Amino acid sequence: HKCQEIASALDGRVAIKSRIGQGTTLSLDVPLQKVMHKGGNSSGGKVNMQKLSNIVRNKGSISILITDDVKANRILLSKSLSRIKTNDNLPLFKCDTAEDGFQCLTKSKDKGPY
């Protein structure tokens, strides 16, 4: 439910794919330009930063566990998402990283929910 709330406010979508023996991918696809510029017009879409600010104010920053076996990908995504702030200048995302599925499951159990 929280993922769908975020996706909706960012004019994005949530998808999940799973294959036995290969793992599961949960993705949140958002138009990055809209997030970074926080603007646009009604035809181009506008990020509802007020709605996101309310979510963060009421529930805290959105925790994300980034799992990728490529360290550079984890660093890039974590730094990029950590730069996004709400209207109140609060961090929108709190990022943690895992290098593989096992570490992801361990962190999810120990620190979750993400």
Side-chain angles (χ1 to χ4, degrees):
H1 184 278
K2 194 171 186 180
C3 285
Q4 188 57 48
E5 226 179 334
I6 298 162
S8 175
L10 293 173
D11 194 27
R13 63 186 177 94
V14 177
I16 188 166
K17 294 179 184 176
S18 184
R19 289 190 174 187
I20 296 172
Q22 293 184 2
T24 301
T25 301
L26 173 67
S27 59
L28 171 63
D29 295 322
V30 296
L32 187 58
Q33 184 176 3
K34 290 180 184 181
V35 175
M36 299 308 290
H37 294 290
K38 302 179 184 89
N41 55 37
S42 58
S43 62
K46 184 175 181 180
V47 173
N48 190 336
M49 288 306 287
Q50 186 58 49
K51 185 173 182 178
L52 289 174
S53 293
N54 291 339
I55 292 170
V56 171
R57 198 176 311 108
N58 294 327
K59 300 178 183 178
S61 293
I62 300 159
S63 296
I64 296 178
L65 179 57
I66 300 162
T67 306
D68 197 310
D69 57 348
V70 179
K71 185 176 182 179
N73 291 344
R74 294 190 309 266
I75 292 170
L76 177 65
L77 186 55
S78 180
K79 286 186 177 188
S80 296
L81 290 173
S82 297
R83 292 179 46 203
I84 302 171
K85 307 288 185 201
T86 66
N87 288 346
D88 303 327
N89 204 32
L90 299 170
L92 181 58
F93 300 109
K94 182 174 87 173
C95 299
D96 195 2
T97 62
E99 62 186 49
D100 57 33
F102 180 76
Q103 192 177 50
C104 175
L105 290 173
T106 302
K107 286 189 172 193
S108 293
K109 289 178 187 174
D110 294 344
K111 297 181 180 181
Y114 287 96

